Structures are given as structure tokens and as C-alpha cells.
């Protein structure tokens, strides 16, 4: 019997191969899109879960309250973690990490390792990063000990064993011993590194005494709690610990720290404090909803297309019933056909997934999966989804087809009834509600991305080449040498550029009342040309000037407008001449600059201070002429190799660097757009099915109207009107839902667009055009058909 069902199913699929092709294509595309989203969401949710002790690992974060503000930071003081381990037996181990960039040389091979971490010797005890060579317990105990990843080690040593060999680090060529080689850090880790240096190298050599500095924040600290320990109970003991260990210092500095514990598994998606790599739980939710939408649309398509073809199988059902076929047998036959069709779609989905996975990885900006067969459980899940869709989506068409009354259908006419029509129309409304909501979402996402790209940032970033000298002794000579290159317009040096990292500084600024108010201000060290080169405008006072070289290099500060407001001044001019103390310097505020976006548009502009500190400038910013740019860059590289020969030459353009902050949002936008297009395309297939069914049902009516003189445009309008009503209802449903979810999405941006009325109008018009284009094919075909044939068939 099963063999017979299988033969009939294949015969019917082949007889109606165009319809079968449309149905299989819709299912395959829908399941493929859903499968990719499933892999993406699964990957995002898997971050840091490969650590076997992940349930017991917590990141220590800090809320720092000053008289001016409360700073929510993801780092701690260098002293916190070691002392927490000493005072609390509930803590099994701790480790601190801190990022950096190091020059590494081995013979003539040299690289600037940008993904470098300092880490305590317990790093491999807390985390399960696999050490391929070396001793887990001792790899990071001694000064100048280095653990490379497998890929990084290959750059310097090829296929030779690196353990026990020496490399030179930093511009001072400090010998460092390679004590281990670790497996490359998994993609789903928010802690990323190519090279790890022992923490004692930092605390005992580069910055001796830093572990006793309770007010120096810069370490990312993790605690491994003993089994059964409650993180909530442990956290409740931290206030007493801080009072005991740092209470007096806190009251003196007026900076009060509150320690909090974040589960490691929550850091990537749920923490609002940032980190080395962060994700967005909102995006995960959105894509999950989109996946469900696409799957629902694919199922709706299947139902509509199958029932639309049901009239062609009415006589078959009638004859089989007359010769004794039972309703259950017919239903199982049609459900079986549905499952077979979905299994064919499953095979097509596998092929599409294999072909499109590299493109999807590229669009998502990460290796979501190296291959669909790398995790066989994903394929099994995909198979289960396909069979389930075939069974569930086939139930309704099977019930409809198996319920035909043989007497009616053998007389040559049958109707599925009002309820069937209502259900099909409801399904189309559901499809187009989803599609219109996705169109609205796509337009809003695009407009927000465009707004972020084109907003006036308050500084000039075009044609700006930035080079990090990493404090090399030849940095000043290099700066002077590039000024003579014809394509160079101007040169400036600083400790930071907009979009890059900058340090917070404990500051005391005279407020409106005349008191020195404590605050933690972002701080840029700059030279005398920086403000002019970046076209940062002054709103009060003066910029730094070589005419005041003696005082400006030791006693002058410039604040931005936001900082002026923080200290209570109603106008920038009131802050000029006020006193400041910052990092051992004392002096007066000489100018106030206009606010500019030195961080992402997702963050509000924060108080910023600038000082001239010529010894602390590492970044060389070069304004270049767009003409003959390759020749200018080649000349800059030539000067670099001449003045700083021991370091590899590397540069970036500031506009591209600044825009990197929005890569995650840009990738989200591209993925959202592509999935929205797929959903709309699949919806159109469903609408095509319903249009086909409807026109077939009205064949006699169309024939009579044509005989009575109805024109082709009039018939097309008549057939299209009902569908346009459905799209209109979909628009009314989709608009408020889309507004609500996109409004919530925009709240993640400090600077964002307003959702304009025209977005909904454009979305509705686009949906109408797409729907009308889809329907017109069947409507015109029916309208131009010979009425004699349609009436004779009755």
C-alpha cells in the first residue's frame, strides 16, 4: 500500500511539475532561511558555554559613584580580584586579563600582535582553552612567559616546536620565552587572543606596584566559585569587603565602588557594560521571530498551493471513493504526498545550505558554522523540521480533499465552501501582515544605518590616515619626516582618535560654586595641531597654541560642552579660567570645544577633557590629498621603514575605523533585508496559489461577463479587488505591530531617527504593487481566455 501511495505521489508531482516546482521552491527557500537563522541564533547563544565550569565563572564588574556621576564599567581595580580570593573561601580561583598590542620579532619575522592579553597564571584553570603544548599550571607563572595560539605560533616558527624558544617583544626587544601553544580560541568566545603574556610581566616589570593601586581600574576580572556557592550570597558580602579594604581611600577620593557579579554565560549577550566582544540579545530575538515568520509563511504557502490545485484532483477523489476508498486512506495518501514533497524540499535545502553557507558566514561577519555536516545534529533537526512541516501542513489539504462528495464532483462541479475560502484568505492576510511588517522594519533599519553614516559627527574624518607608533623612540622623527611628502596636507599626534579607545582620568574641576568637584573624565592627550586638523570647533576661550607652549604643556586644559554642563555652568564662557587637578597636573581651563562624537552614536556624548602631553602621544594622524593616494601612502611607508625599521608598517583610514563601530548593526541590517526579501517572495507564491484557485472557481462567471461585453481591464480589476482588500487588512494589522517592535529596537541607540508616517505609506504601497504584480499574471490569463471554452466546460 505504501508503495502504491509513493507511486501515485510521484506521478502527481510529475504531472503537475510546474506547480510542484513552485511549491518545492517555496518550501526549500523557506526552510533554508529558517535553518540559517537557527544556526545563527544557536551560535550566538553558545558563547562561552564550551567552558566546562562556565556555570561557576563570573565576571566582576564595578559601579563607581562619584559626586558627579555613577560609572558602570566592565573592569575592576587591579587589587580587587587577588584580595577577594584571599578574603572569601567561596572563591576557588581568580584570573585577570588585560588587552594590549605588542611588537613580536623572531629573526626577520615581525608582527604587531593586536590581540594580546596579559593573564594570571590561573587562566587555564578558570577557562577551558586547550593547551596543545606546555604545562597548564606553569605556562604563565614566570615573567616574560608567552603562550601563542597554534596559528600565531606558525607565523614565527613554522612547523617547528615553539616551546622553549625565545622571541623579542616590544620596541625594547625584551626576550620572552614561549612556554605553551594553545588551540586557536573558538569563534564563540568573547575572550579573544592570539598571544597571552604572563600577568607578572605587567605587574612586576612594566607597571610595578599596580596590584596595590585600588583606584586604578583596567583589569577584567573573573572568579571561579566553588561548587554549590551562591553568587548572590557572595555578592552581598562585597560591601563589607570594600569598606574593610578600601573604605578610607574611597572617602578621601570620593569614589565609591560597588562590586557586582555577572555570569560568564550572560556577558556576551546580556551585559550592558561592554567587553572585548559583545552581541545583542535583541537581534537574537528579532531573528528568531523572523525565522518563525518565514517558516509559517512557507507552511501557509504549502496549504494554499495544495488546496488551489485540489479542484484538479476532485474527480480522482470521487472515483476512488466510489470504488471503496475510505476517507482515512485518502487522507493518509495526501499527507504522504505532502511529506514526500517536504523530503524533496529537504534534499534541495541541503544543497542550498552547502552552497550558500560561505555567503551566510560572510554576511554575518563570523564563522557561524564551518559546514552544515560539522554538527550532524543540525542536519537531523533539519530533517525533523521538514517531516513535521510535511505532516502538519498536509493535514488541512488532506482533510479537504478526502471530504469531497463523490456525487457532486462527478457531476462536474464542486466547491470547498465558505469556511475554506475564509481560511485561505486569513492565511494570505497573515502572510502579508508579516511581509509588510518586514518591509517596514527593513526601511527603518536602513534609515537608521544611513543616519549613523551621514550624521554630522562634529569633526573631520575624511582622508585621514592613522598610524600607531606604539611609543617607538622614532615617533617624533617620523612625524616630522612625513610633513615633507607632497600629498600630505597636515600631521597631528595624539593618544586617541574618535572611535578608538581613550582613558578615563580621576579629575577635580572647579564647579560653578567654586569648589573642586571630583569626576572621572575621558581624556585625550594631543599636540598643538590636533584640534585644527580634526576641525573641532571652539565655543569659548582658545585652542592650544605654541604661543603659550610653556603653560599649555603643563597647566592648560580644554573641556567639551558636556563637561561644562556636568560642573554646573550655564554657558561655556563661565568655565574659562577655572582650576583643575588631573593626574598630577594643576592648571586652568583655557577653552571649551564644541561637543563631537568621539564614541559610537549608540552612546551619548560624554564629558571629555584634552591636555597637551607630548610624551604620551602614540598615534600619528595624517591628512592626505585624495589625488595620487597610492603614491602618498607608498611615500609614508618609505619614511616609516627609514625611521622605524624594526616595526611592521600598518595604517588605517579614520572614516573606515570609526564606521567599524557599526559593523554589527550593518550586518544585522543586511541579514534582515535579505530575510525580508525571502519572506516577501514566498508570500507572493502563496498569493499566486490563491489567485490561481480563485480564478479557476470563477471561470464560468468570467465567461458570462465577457459574453455580456466586459472588458479585459474590467475583469482584471474585478479579480484583483478582493486581493487588494486582503493586502489592505494586512497593512492595518502590520503597521502598529511593526511600529512597536522597531520603536523598541531604536531605543538601543542614543542618537536615532524618528519613525516617520511615510515609512508606513511606502511599505503599504510596495506591498500593493508586489501583490498586484503577482495577481495580475493569473487575472490577465483568465481575462483573455476564450469564454466559449469556459462556458462549454460547464
Amino acid at each position: 500500500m505504501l508503495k502504491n501511495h509513493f507511486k501515485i505521489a510521484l506521478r502527481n508531482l510529475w504531472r503537475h511539475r510546474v506547480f510542484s516546482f513552485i511549491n518545492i521552491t517555496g518550501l526549500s527557500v523557506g526552510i533554508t532561511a529558517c535553518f540559517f537563522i537557527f544556526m545563527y541564533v544557536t551560535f550566538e547563544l553558545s558563547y562561552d558555554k564550551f567552558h566546562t565550569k562556565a556555570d561557576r565563572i563570573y565576571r566582576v564588574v564595578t559601579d563607581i559613584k562619584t559626586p558627579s556621576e555613577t560609572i558602570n564599567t566592565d573592569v575592576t581595580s587591579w587589587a580587587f580580584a587577588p584580595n577577594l580570593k584571599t578574603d572569601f573561601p567561596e572563591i576557588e580561583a581568580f584570573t585577570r586579563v588585560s588587552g594590549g598590542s605588542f611588537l613580536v620579532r623572531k629573526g626577520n619575522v615581525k608582527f604587531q600582535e593586536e590581540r594580546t592579553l596579559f593573564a594570571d597564571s590561573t587562566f587555564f584553570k578558570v577557562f577551558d582553552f586547550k593547551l596543545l603544548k606546555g604545562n597548564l599550571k606553569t605556562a604563565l607563572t614566570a615573567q616574560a612567559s608567552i603562550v601563542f595560539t597554534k596559528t600565531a605560533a606558525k607565523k614565527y616558527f613554522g612547523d617547528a616546536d615553539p616551546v622553549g624558544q625565545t622571541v623579542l617583544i616590544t620596541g625594547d626587544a625584551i626576550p620572552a620565552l614561549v612556554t605553551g601553544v594553545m588551540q586557536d580560541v573558538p569563534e564563540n568566545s568573547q575572550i579573544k587572543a592570539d598571544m597571552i603574556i604572563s600577568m607578572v610581566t605587567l605587574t612586576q616589570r612594566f607597571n610595578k606596584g599596580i596590584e596595590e593601586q585600588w583606584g586604578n581600574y583596567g583589569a577584567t576580572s573573573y572568579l571561579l566559585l566553588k561548587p554549590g556557592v551562591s553568587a548572590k550570597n557572595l555578592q552581598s558580602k562585597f560591601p563589607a569587603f570594600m569598606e574593610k579594604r578600601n573604605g578610607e581611600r574611597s572617602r578621601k577620593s570620593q569614589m565609591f565602588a560597588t562590586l557586582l557579579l555577572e555570569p560568564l554565560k550572560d556577558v556576551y549577550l546580556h551585559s550592558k557594560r561592554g567587553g572585548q566582544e559583545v552581541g545583542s540579545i535583541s537581534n537574537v530575538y528579532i531573528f528568531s521571530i523572523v525565522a518563525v515568520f518565514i517558516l509559517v509563511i512557507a507552511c501557509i504557502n504549502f496549504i494554499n498551493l495544495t488546496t488551489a490545485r485540489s479542484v484538479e484532483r476532485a474527480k480522482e477523489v470521487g472515483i476512488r471513493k466510489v470504488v471503496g476508498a475510505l476517507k482515512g486512506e485518502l487522507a493518509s495518501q495526501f499527507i504522504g504526498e505532502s511529506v514526500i514533497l517536504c523530503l524533496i524540499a529537504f534534499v534541495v535545502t541541503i544543497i542550498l545550505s552547502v552552497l550558500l553557507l560561505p555567503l551566510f558566514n560572510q554576511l554575518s561577519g563570523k564563522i557561524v558554522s564551518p559546514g552544515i555536516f560539522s554538527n550532524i545534529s543540525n542536519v537531523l533537526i533539519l530533517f525533523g523540521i521538514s517531516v513535521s512541516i510535511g505532516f502538519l501542513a498536509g493535514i488541512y489539504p488532506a482533510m479537504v480533499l478526502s471530504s469531497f462528495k463523490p456525487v457532486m464532483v462527478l457531476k462536474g462541479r464542486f466547491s470547498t465552501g465558505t469556511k475554506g475560502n475564509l481560511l485561505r484568505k486569513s492565511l494570505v492576510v497573515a502572510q502579508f501582515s508579516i511581509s509588510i511588517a518586514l518591509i517596514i522594519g527593513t526601511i527603518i533599519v536602513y534609515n537608521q544605518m544611513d543616519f549613523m553614516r551621514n550624521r554630522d559627527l562634529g569633526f573631520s574624518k575624511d582622508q585621514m590616515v592613522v598610524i600607531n607608533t606604539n611609543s617607538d623612540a622614532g615617533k617624533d622623527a617620523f612625524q616630522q619626516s612625513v610633513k615633507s611628502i607632497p600629498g600630505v596636507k597636515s600631521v597631528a599626534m595624539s593618544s586617541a582618535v574618535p572611535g578608538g579607545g581613550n582613558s578615563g582620568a580621576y579629575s577635580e574641576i572647579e564647579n560653578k560654586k567654586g569648589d573642586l568637584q571630583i569626576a572621572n573624565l575621558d581624556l585625550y592627550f594631543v599636540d598643538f595641531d590636533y584640534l585644527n586638523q580634526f576641525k573641532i570647533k571652539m565655543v569659548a576661550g582658545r585652542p592650544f597654541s605654541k604661543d603659550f607652549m610653556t603653560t599649555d604643556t603643563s597647566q592648560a586644559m580644554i573641556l567639551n560642552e558636556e563637561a561644562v554642563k556636568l560642573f554646573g555652568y550655564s554657558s561655556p564662557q563661565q568655565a574659562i579660567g577655572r582650576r583643575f587637578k588631573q593626574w598630577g597636573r594643576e592648571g586652568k581651563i583655557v577653552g571649551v570645544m564644541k561637543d563631537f562624537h568621539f564614541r559610537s552614536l549608540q552612546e551619548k556624548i560624554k564629558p571629555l577633557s584634552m591636555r597637551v602631553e607630548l610624551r604620551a602621544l602614540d598615534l600619528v594622524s595624517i591628512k592626505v590629498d585624495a589625488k595620487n593616494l597610492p603614491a602618498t601612502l607608498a611615500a609614508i611607508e618609505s619614511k616609516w621603514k627609514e625611521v622605524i625599521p624594526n616595526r611592521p608598517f600598518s595604517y588605517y583610514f579614520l572614516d573606515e575605523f570609526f564606521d567599524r563601530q557599526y559593523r554589527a548593526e550593518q550586518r544585522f541590517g543586511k541579514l534582515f533585508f535579505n530575510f525580508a526579501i525571502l519572506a516577501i517572495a514566498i508570500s507572493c507564491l502563496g498569493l499566486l496559489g490563491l489567485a490561481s484557485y480563485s480564478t479557476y472557481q470563477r471561470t464560468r462567471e468570467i465567461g458570462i461577463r465577457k459574453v455580456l461585453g466586459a472588458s479585459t481591464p474590467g475583469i482584471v480589476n474585478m479579480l484583483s479587488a478582493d486581493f487588494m482588500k486582503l493586502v489592505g487588512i494586512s497593512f492595518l494589522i502590520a503597521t502598529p505591530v511593526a511600529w512597536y517592535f522597531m520603536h523598541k529596537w531604536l531605543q538601543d541607540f542614543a542618537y536615532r531617527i524618528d519613525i516617520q508616517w511615510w515609512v508606513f505609506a511606502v511599505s503599504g504601497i510596495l506591498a500593493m504593487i508586489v501583490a498586484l504584480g503577482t495577481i495580475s499574471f493569473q487575472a490577465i490569463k483568465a481575462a483573455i481566455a476564450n469564454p466559449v471554452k469556459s462556458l462549454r466546460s460547464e
Side-chain angles (χ1 to χ4, degrees):
M1 186 174 180
L2 288 174
K3 183 179 179 181
N4 186 47
H5 282 183
F6 188 73
K7 280 184 177 179
I8 294 172
L10 291 180
R11 196 175 295 149
N12 275 301
L13 290 175
W14 180 251
R15 185 181 300 124
H16 306 283
R17 45 188 173 273
V18 174
F19 236 78
S20 298
F21 174 78
I22 293 173
N23 218 344
I24 291 170
T25 300
L27 272 175
S28 301
V29 171
I31 296 173
T32 301
C34 185
F35 183 50
F36 280 156
I37 294 175
F38 168 77
M39 287 195 295
Y40 173 83
V41 169
T42 302
F43 178 80
E44 290 291 284
L45 293 173
S46 73
Y47 262 75
D48 298 312
K49 292 182 180 177
F50 60 89
H51 298 293
T52 57
K53 301 181 283 288
D55 290 334
R56 296 192 284 129
I57 302 174
Y58 291 82
R59 184 173 74 165
V60 187
V61 297
T62 317
D63 287 346
I64 307 169
K65 186 176 182 180
T66 73
S68 303
E69 59 185 335
T70 298
I71 304 163
N72 308 118
T73 178
D74 62 316
V75 296
T76 67
S77 160
W78 293 92
F80 287 175
N83 285 283
L84 284 169
K85 174 66 175 70
T86 301
D87 284 19
F88 295 104
E90 298 98 318
I91 299 172
E92 182 177 320
F94 77 90
T95 189
R96 297 162 299 177
V97 297
S98 179
S101 172
F102 271 80
L103 173 66
V104 180
R105 287 180 286 168
K106 177 66 177 177
N108 293 325
V109 180
K110 56 187 175 184
F111 289 97
Q112 189 74 33
E113 294 291 350
E114 300 292 348
R115 297 204 311 178
T116 298
L117 286 181
F118 287 106
D120 283 299
S121 60
T122 51
F123 182 77
F124 293 107
K125 180 178 180 179
V126 174
F127 299 112
D128 291 332
F129 294 113
K130 187 177 180 181
L131 201 64
L132 303 176
K133 296 179 180 180
N135 189 310
L136 283 170
K137 295 180 180 179
T138 61
L140 295 173
T141 54
Q143 278 194 44
S145 296
I146 287 182
V147 173
F148 281 113
T149 61
K150 183 179 179 180
T151 300
K154 199 172 183 64
K155 294 190 300 186
Y156 301 99
F157 302 100
D159 295 326
D161 186 357
V163 177
Q165 297 200 51
T166 301
V167 294
L168 302 178
I169 61 174
T170 77
D172 296 330
I174 299 170
L177 184 68
V178 181
T179 55
V181 177
M182 62 186 281
Q183 187 66 269
D184 288 351
V185 175
E187 187 76 24
N188 58 342
S189 171
Q190 51 95 18
I191 300 172
K192 295 284 199 299
D194 296 317
M195 182 176 84
I196 301 176
I197 304 176
S198 57
M199 183 62 74
V200 291
T201 311
L202 174 66
T203 59
Q204 296 180 17
R205 182 163 190 161
F206 294 143
N207 203 337
K208 194 169 184 179
I210 194 173
E211 288 186 300
E212 284 74 49
Q213 297 175 7
W214 287 77
N216 189 339
Y217 290 80
T220 303
S221 301
Y222 296 90
L223 302 180
L224 173 63
L225 307 188
K226 291 180 179 178
V229 171
S230 167
K232 186 176 181 180
N233 290 342
L234 177 61
Q235 182 177 294
S236 68
K237 300 176 183 179
F238 287 167
F241 162 80
M242 292 301 296
E243 175 59 32
K244 172 187 170 184
R245 290 282 191 170
N246 197 44
E248 187 176 340
R249 294 188 194 90
S250 296
R251 284 185 286 275
K252 184 177 180 181
S253 65
Q254 291 296 290
M255 295 183 71
F256 298 92
T258 300
L259 302 186
L260 304 169
L261 294 177
E262 288 185 338
L264 177 67
K265 291 181 178 180
D266 291 349
V267 169
Y268 175 72
L269 284 178
H270 297 279
S271 178
K272 299 297 184 183
R273 298 168 184 267
Q276 190 177 1
E277 185 176 0
V278 294
S280 169
I281 191 63
S282 297
N283 290 355
V284 169
Y285 289 147
I286 289 170
F287 279 130
S288 298
I289 292 170
V290 170
V292 172
F293 281 172
I294 290 176
L295 201 57
V296 167
I297 287 172
C299 292
I300 290 173
N301 259 8
F302 182 86
I303 294 170
N304 273 341
L305 289 171
T306 304
T307 52
R309 215 189 65 189
S310 61
V311 289
E312 300 175 24
R313 302 193 65 180
K315 288 185 179 180
E316 174 196 339
V317 172
I319 292 170
R320 290 179 67 184
K321 277 196 168 188
V322 167
V323 297
L326 299 176
K327 182 176 180 180
E329 291 175 344
L330 291 171
S332 65
Q333 165 68 40
F334 294 124
I335 290 174
E337 288 185 21
S338 171
V339 171
I340 290 170
L341 191 145
C342 285
L343 288 176
I344 295 172
F346 166 74
V347 174
V348 176
T349 296
I350 291 292
I351 296 170
L352 287 175
S353 298
V354 170
L355 295 175
L356 298 176
L357 184 58
L359 177 62
F360 181 72
N361 284 335
Q362 184 179 347
L363 279 173
S364 62
K366 56 185 71 177
I367 307 299
V368 171
S369 175
I372 65 168
F373 298 109
S374 61
N375 187 348
I376 199 65
S377 63
N378 285 343
V379 179
L380 294 176
I381 290 171
L382 180 60
F383 178 80
I385 290 172
S386 300
V387 173
S388 299
I389 290 174
F391 181 78
L392 295 173
I395 289 176
Y396 173 72
M399 293 300 102
V400 171
L401 291 169
S402 62
S403 298
F404 292 165
K405 293 180 180 180
V407 175
M408 291 182 63
V409 296
L410 291 177
K411 282 184 177 180
R413 192 69 189 160
F414 106 98
S415 173
T416 58
T418 306
K419 290 183 179 178
N421 287 330
L422 181 61
L423 176 62
R424 281 186 290 277
K425 290 180 179 180
S426 299
L427 293 176
V428 170
V429 168
Q431 277 187 320
F432 266 84
S433 296
I434 294 170
S435 298
I436 292 170
L438 290 174
I439 293 172
I440 293 170
T442 301
I443 294 174
I444 291 172
V445 169
Y446 174 81
N447 285 342
Q448 177 63 21
M449 294 300 103
D450 185 65
F451 169 79
M452 293 168 71
R453 283 192 298 268
N454 298 313
R455 179 179 168 85
D456 181 10
L457 299 173
F459 69 94
S460 172
K461 60 184 174 67
D462 297 328
Q463 303 301 324
M464 195 81 72
V465 177
V466 182
I467 302 171
N468 192 343
T469 64
N470 290 284
S471 299
D472 195 277
K475 64 181 182 178
D476 294 326
F478 173 70
Q479 181 208 17
Q480 293 300 319
S481 66
V482 296
K483 289 181 178 179
S484 61
I485 296 173
V488 172
K489 293 182 176 180
S490 61
V491 183
M493 292 188 73
S494 61
S495 63
V497 292
N502 49 277
S503 58
Y506 178 84
S507 310
E508 296 177 67
I509 309 293
E510 184 180 352
N511 60 25
K512 187 177 181 180
K513 298 177 181 179
D515 302 323
L516 286 175
Q517 181 177 325
I518 295 169
N520 191 73
L521 299 181
D522 282 325
L523 172 62
Y524 276 22
F525 291 130
V526 301
D527 67 4
F528 292 102
D529 301 313
Y530 186 87
L531 290 167
N532 183 55
Q533 175 155 318
F534 284 85
K535 292 183 169 52
I536 298 171
K537 298 176 181 177
M538 303 297 295
V539 292
R542 63 174 179 82
F544 297 121
S545 172
K546 292 180 181 178
D547 294 337
F548 304 93
M549 174 141 341
T550 303
T551 54
D552 277 6
T553 53
S554 59
Q555 302 171 18
M557 174 183 283
I558 290 177
L559 298 177
N560 68 350
E561 293 173 292
E562 199 62 34
V564 169
K565 294 175 187 174
L566 179 67
F567 299 110
Y569 299 109
S570 57
S571 70
Q573 191 62 44
Q574 293 176 349
I576 303 303
R578 300 289 183 158
R579 295 171 295 148
F580 78 85
K581 292 182 180 180
Q582 188 184 67
W583 277 5
R585 297 283 192 186
E586 295 185 31
K588 293 184 178 181
I589 297 166
V590 299
V592 176
M593 58 189 158
K594 188 176 180 60
D595 282 341
F596 67 94
H597 292 278
F598 59 95
R599 293 187 179 182
S600 164
L601 287 173
Q602 288 175 296
E603 302 179 54
K604 289 189 175 181
I605 296 175
K606 295 187 175 182
L608 174 67
S609 60
M610 283 189 184
R611 287 187 9 227
V612 175
E613 194 75 42
L614 300 178
R615 292 174 298 177
L617 311 180
D618 292 338
L619 301 180
V620 178
S621 302
I622 307 170
K623 185 80 170 178
V624 295
D625 195 328
K627 297 178 182 177
N628 299 319
L629 186 58
T632 302
L633 292 174
I636 293 172
E637 182 177 6
S638 177
K639 294 292 186 183
W640 176 273
K641 291 180 177 178
E642 180 183 327
V643 179
I644 309 178
N646 291 326
R647 290 184 181 274
F649 177 70
S650 179
Y651 69 91
Y652 56 84
F653 283 96
L654 183 61
D655 53 353
E656 295 176 0
F657 177 75
F658 194 87
D659 289 345
R660 285 179 197 171
Q661 300 174 103
Y662 311 126
R663 278 185 179 175
E665 286 73 27
Q666 289 167 351
R667 286 168 183 151
F668 167 79
K670 287 180 181 178
L671 287 173
F672 192 92
F673 173 77
N674 286 315
F675 287 128
I677 292 296
L678 285 176
I680 294 163
I682 298 171
S683 294
C684 289
L685 288 176
L687 193 61
L688 179 66
L690 189 58
S692 174
Y693 175 79
S694 179
T695 52
Y696 187 93
Q697 288 289 84
R698 301 176 73 173
T699 302
R700 185 182 182 187
E701 178 190 346
I702 294 169
I704 293 172
R705 286 178 179 272
K706 289 201 74 175
V707 168
L708 295 175
S711 65
T712 298
I715 291 174
V716 171
N717 288 336
M718 176 194 74
L719 293 173
S720 302
D722 288 342
F723 295 108
M724 290 299 100
K725 289 176 184 176
L726 297 181
V727 176
I729 294 170
S730 301
F731 174 76
L732 295 176
I733 295 172
T735 297
V737 175
W739 179 89
Y740 174 77
F741 282 105
M742 295 315 298
H743 177 75
K744 288 195 71 174
W745 180 74
L746 287 170
Q747 300 312 301
D748 288 337
F749 300 89
Y751 300 91
R752 53 187 175 266
I753 61 169
D754 293 322
I755 302 178
Q756 303 290 336
W757 65 269
W758 63 263
V759 171
F760 305 102
V762 168
S763 300
I765 292 170
L766 283 174
M768 290 282 186
I769 292 171
V770 169
L772 190 60
T774 304
I775 297 162
S776 295
F777 172 76
Q778 286 293 334
I780 293 172
K781 183 180 175 182
I784 63 176
N786 188 340
V788 175
K789 287 184 178 180
S790 60
L791 292 173
R792 184 179 295 164
S793 67
E794 295 296 318

